Amino acid sequence: MSASTSCRYPHGVRCTNVRMSPDLTKELPVSTPAMRMSTLFLRTLREDPAEAELPSHRLLVRAGYIRRVAPGIYTWLPLGLKVLRNVERIVREEMDAIGAQELSFPALLPREPFEATGRWTEYGENIFRLKDRKGADYLLGPTHEEMFTLAVKDLYGSYKDLPLSIYQIQLKYRDEARPRAGLLRGREFVMKDSYSFDVDDAGLQASYDAHRGAYIKMFDRLGFDYVIVKATSGAMGGSASEEFLATAENGEDTYVRCTSCDYAANVEAVKVPSPPAIPYDGLPAAHVEDTPGTPTIDTLVDHLNAAFPRADRPWSASDTLKNVLVMVVHPGGRREPLAIGVPGDREIDEKRLGAQVEPAEIEAFDEADFAKHPALARGYMGPGALGEDAASGIRYLLDPRVVDGTDWVTGADSPDRHVIGLVAGRDFTADGTIEAAEVRDGDECPSCGQVLETARGIEMGHIFQLGRKYAEALGLKVLDQNGKLVTVTMGSYGVGVSRAVAAVAEGCHDEFGLVWPRELAPADVHVVATGKAEEVFAKAAELTDALAAQGVSVLYDDRRKVSPGVKFKDAELIGVPTIVIVGKGLEVGTIEIKDRATGVRREVPVDQIVDAVVSEVRGSAS
RNA sequence: CGGGCUGUGGCGCAGCUUGGUAGCGCGCUUCGUUUGGGACGAAGAUGUCGCAGGUUCAAAUCCUGUCAGCCCGACCA
């Protein structure tokens, strides 16, 4: 092999790539040819595409970054690809910085490893499955736990090999029931996933902490507002779980944060604090009353206030205990009824409930199910009939607020009758507690007791301690210091890379278009040549070249016969952070620099323009 | 999978109620004028009206079926 190789760039420019020392490489500015609007594969749209609802989706399509190919499947056009690559670069740099090593698994995977972990069936409809010509089953990887685990098993066998963190940035495929919101929930998407491998829990914690640190740096650089919240680990199982959410009104995830301390959690992970038990000496005995036509909480409260008015205050929904039945469907298909008691002023939050019963799923308790349980008086169910030891034999779990000594109005287990003053602990007990009631603004913070507020976000990253689930399923063991086989413990860390492009766009835009953070922008500078004077284009081209020579990436609008208005609109839509306008200022020897985000513009003498732009680009790059 | 809505040129839409040989804006092509905020004029090109049946002398339009897409919900890194 010779010491130099040559390649051809698409423009036909011949370049010689001489091997050089790393130090030498560093000294040379990296010069990228400017993108010219006259030839760039781009078409901006004046009108919003009908398919897009969210600002990020609308703008990415309008500005010519992406095109939809099928539901949840998008083409990256040149500008979009630049941004995607920038996100990848940031992620890669921060992963490399903690010593994680990049590799790349296939997207097309055989069935067997997923069979071993049970996910071929557990993942269900969300897997894209296909067969090869011989009829063998394959899938397009929705995540790669199995592949990472097997790769380590394949190569490593000793505690001396650990710890290890490996990652990939790769396409994932999920056959979502309903793809939506453009890049935010696609069926094909780019994800960075990494896994840490350690011999013991202390090692896992250290790997987790390293990733957490890397994620903080990464998300700081990505340039959107985010919060780190406590989370549940979803279908993967595991503990010590945190999510990085981009704060966004349109986000799909609801989280809470404390208005006083730093507590923040996904609603699914909120632990409702139990108030202290109340002594029930001296509380009046419970009594059953006729409450005709009161199958709902509203009708019950109205009836109570009419028929049994309280002396101190009116009855309210929070005085009642609402009992709700659901059907828990276990992975094997076994159906188990479950009764949940919550204060009557709260609904069951199905996401929270779902997180509690994972990996089982929740189905509605239907007519046929009621028919099988004659002990249940629909609309008038009470603790009397519920519980594993009671008439129905149905497991009964209570909201943590229903502590011993609290008293309730609740169903008396016969039609049109309720019991008043039923005291928890004295008159009834349950089989345990469950976090299933909705979380609301103003709820008590589990950490400091102050007030919680809810907000919405987009899940951008998730880190959690996966533990030994996959290592056990796939037999990943190493020899420890004593020559004994121990099962490796794993951490799992994901970042939605393509989703980040949309999330940033969702957070960084105005009425005119996108406003990219500098590190993600498809170019450092957007040079706009206005007018038709030959000298304007000559000067703009010269400036473009000079900037490129300085390592500044330039998008140069060199289109002739396109009016200045169109060029300005396009520049604002595309959202490169610095816009340089070469035009009528030339007559007095100036060129204009405009900041896309603030709209602030200033005239700079022609002979200082390169330095001014370079310092603009470098200066605000922090 | 439930609920709602929509399929008409590259994009955004009108036309459908009351059947009569398909239209507007943007974009595209050519020529000319214009060039600091999505210019103007003239001349053009581009359509199996989602698909399949049916009714009718005649269907974008009415009927039946079907497919696809979008939105809300369910579900979900």
Side-chain angles (χ1 to χ4, degrees):
Chain A
M1 274 297 260
S2 76
S4 78
T5 56
S6 63
C7 62
R8 255 188 126 66
Y9 281 128
H11 341 307
V13 177
R14 224 178 137 70
C15 88
T16 302
N17 178 12
V18 182
R19 297 238 177 106
M20 45 187 118
S21 72
D23 293 334
L24 190 54
T25 313
K26 221 173 184 178
E27 306 270 323
L28 293 171
V30 183
S31 172
T32 320
M35 292 181 280
R36 288 170 187 263
M37 291 284 276
S38 61
T39 52
L40 184 64
F41 189 51
L42 169 74
R43 177 115 305 146
T44 57
L45 305 177
R46 188 184 293 215
E47 289 169 292
D48 284 330
E51 70 194 28
E53 290 281 310
L54 293 188
S56 61
H57 190 189
R58 282 206 310 265
L59 290 170
L60 287 170
V61 174
R62 266 192 67 200
Y65 284 72
I66 58 170
R67 300 289 300 172
R68 195 191 74 104
V69 171
I73 302 177
Y74 289 83
T75 297
W76 294 91
L77 296 173
L79 286 181
L81 194 58
K82 291 263 182 197
V83 178
L84 180 69
R85 295 291 183 241
N86 286 338
V87 175
E88 288 180 7
R89 193 192 71 247
I90 291 170
V91 170
R92 195 168 271 129
E93 286 173 3
E94 296 303 337
M95 293 309 297
D96 291 346
I98 59 166
Q101 300 173 61
E102 184 172 7
L103 46 63
S104 183
F105 290 108
L108 179 62
L109 302 170
R111 168 179 176 163
E112 287 72 22
F114 286 79
E115 194 71 53
T117 53
R119 292 209 301 168
W120 177 261
T121 43
E122 267 180 39
Y123 226 94
E125 299 269 76
N126 269 12
I127 289 187
F128 274 106
R129 298 155 205 268
L130 55 160
K131 287 181 188 295
D132 70 6
R133 61 171 68 198
K134 297 177 196 164
D137 287 315
Y138 283 81
L139 61 105
L140 294 174
T143 65
H144 283 77
E145 280 82 358
E146 287 83 356
M147 302 313 294
F148 276 94
T149 308
L150 288 172
V152 175
K153 181 183 177 184
D154 188 24
L155 298 180
Y156 278 4
S158 162
Y159 75 96
K160 291 180 192 168
D161 295 323
L162 304 181
L164 169 71
S165 287
I166 46 182
Y167 74 97
Q168 65 170 346
I169 296 175
Q170 225 254 18
L171 287 170
K172 307 284 189 203
Y173 296 86
R174 291 185 197 169
D175 193 2
E176 295 282 348
R178 185 155 94 81
R180 68 183 84 177
L183 259 24
L184 283 178
R185 177 169 296 289
R187 295 195 294 171
E188 177 187 87
F189 55 98
V190 180
M191 179 176 175
K192 186 285 298 182
D193 53 334
S194 50
Y195 293 86
S196 63
F197 299 84
D198 286 276
V199 280
D200 54 32
D201 292 350
L204 171 56
Q205 186 62 46
S207 295
Y208 182 89
D209 292 342
H211 272 87
R212 192 177 195 276
Y215 272 45
I216 288 170
K217 287 183 182 165
M218 205 183 282
F219 285 102
D220 284 348
R221 289 177 67 185
L222 285 172
F224 51 73
D225 290 330
Y226 69 95
V227 289
I228 304 174
V229 304
K230 294 186 198 319
T232 55
S233 307
M236 316 296 173
S239 57
S241 179
E242 290 174 290
E243 283 171 347
F244 290 68
L245 302 181
T247 56
E249 285 174 29
N250 292 321
E252 291 186 301
D253 284 306
T254 305
Y255 68 96
V256 297
R257 63 187 161 206
C258 181
T259 52
S260 172
C261 73
D262 61 359
Y263 178 86
N266 193 305
V267 282
E268 293 170 19
V270 171
K271 292 267 179 289
V272 171
S274 272
I278 303 167
Y280 37 70
D281 319 325
L283 283 177
H287 49 103
V288 174
E289 299 292 348
D290 286 333
T291 55
T294 58
T296 65
I297 297 295
D298 285 347
T299 52
L300 173 61
V301 169
D302 288 346
H303 182 87
L304 289 172
N305 280 319
F308 311 98
R310 289 175 67 124
D312 48 350
R313 59 178 176 82
W315 293 102
S316 77
S318 59
D319 296 314
T320 68
L321 179 63
K322 176 163 64 179
N323 297 298
V324 177
L325 283 165
V326 295
M327 193 58 80
V328 179
V329 183
H330 293 276
R334 186 169 64 86
R335 292 162 60 84
E336 179 200 359
L338 174 66
I340 299 164
V342 297
D345 61 331
R346 286 185 193 261
E347 297 301 322
I348 298 282
D349 180 325
E350 293 188 28
K351 285 193 176 181
R352 300 197 70 216
L353 172 58
Q356 299 304 311
V357 301
E358 202 99 66
E361 292 180 359
I362 295 296
E363 280 182 10
F365 199 86
D366 60 24
E367 296 292 340
D369 295 320
F370 271 106
K372 286 180 213 156
H373 293 276
L376 303 175
R378 220 171 161 179
Y380 301 89
M381 275 182 290
L386 300 169
E388 288 170 344
D389 301 329
S392 68
I394 293 175
R395 194 152 65 103
Y396 182 44
L397 301 175
L398 288 171
D399 184 83
R401 295 174 188 82
V402 187
V403 294
D404 282 0
T406 52
D407 71 287
W408 304 92
V409 179
T410 190
D413 298 310
S414 67
D416 298 324
R417 287 162 75 80
H418 279 87
V419 53
I420 298 174
L422 199 71
V423 176
R426 183 189 74 181
D427 301 325
F428 71 99
T429 57
D431 302 312
T433 61
I434 187 167
E435 297 282 352
E438 63 179 330
V439 173
R440 292 196 297 235
D441 276 316
D443 280 354
E444 186 184 334
C445 171
S447 178
C448 73
Q450 293 299 303
V451 177
L452 293 178
E453 60 181 9
T454 62
R456 308 277 286 175
I458 301 163
E459 184 183 350
M460 297 306 313
H462 190 181
I463 58 177
F464 64 98
Q465 299 187 8
L466 184 53
R468 298 185 171 80
K469 175 177 173 179
Y470 287 89
E472 260 159 26
L474 297 165
L476 172 59
K477 295 176 191 212
V478 294
L479 289 172
D480 70 6
Q481 295 93 319
N482 307 314
K484 267 177 45 185
L485 276 175
V486 294
T487 300
V488 169
T489 185
M490 296 164 57
S492 172
Y493 319 91
V495 174
V497 173
S498 47
R499 178 180 278 185
V501 174
V504 172
E506 193 64 32
C508 303
H509 68 267
D510 60 22
E511 57 186 309
F512 305 111
L514 297 160
V515 187
W516 293 108
R518 200 162 278 289
E519 276 217 79
L520 296 188
D524 294 320
V525 181
H526 190 145
V527 174
V528 176
T530 64
K532 58 178 177 178
E534 209 43 56
E535 64 191 81
V536 166
F537 285 88
K539 180 50 80 177
E542 181 191 323
L543 171 60
T544 295
D545 291 342
L547 289 170
Q550 297 277 320
V552 174
S553 65
V554 182
L555 175 60
Y556 170 31
D557 197 338
D558 61 335
R559 291 175 294 178
R560 313 273 175 146
K561 300 195 172 188
V562 172
S563 72
V566 172
K567 293 184 175 183
F568 294 147
K569 290 288 186 191
D570 275 346
E572 278 153 1
L573 184 58
I574 289 168
V576 170
T578 300
I579 300 167
V580 174
I581 302 157
V582 184
K584 67 178 184 188
L586 231 42
E587 291 164 19
V588 293
T590 64
I591 288 174
E592 184 179 323
I593 298 180
K594 180 178 171 184
D595 186 273
R596 172 64 184 89
T598 62
V600 173
R601 46 177 82 185
R602 63 194 168 99
E603 300 286 341
V604 176
V606 170
D607 58 354
Q608 296 166 29
I609 188 68
V610 174
D611 289 343
V613 172
V614 168
S615 67
E616 181 94 5
V617 170
R618 304 266 148 83
S620 39
S622 60

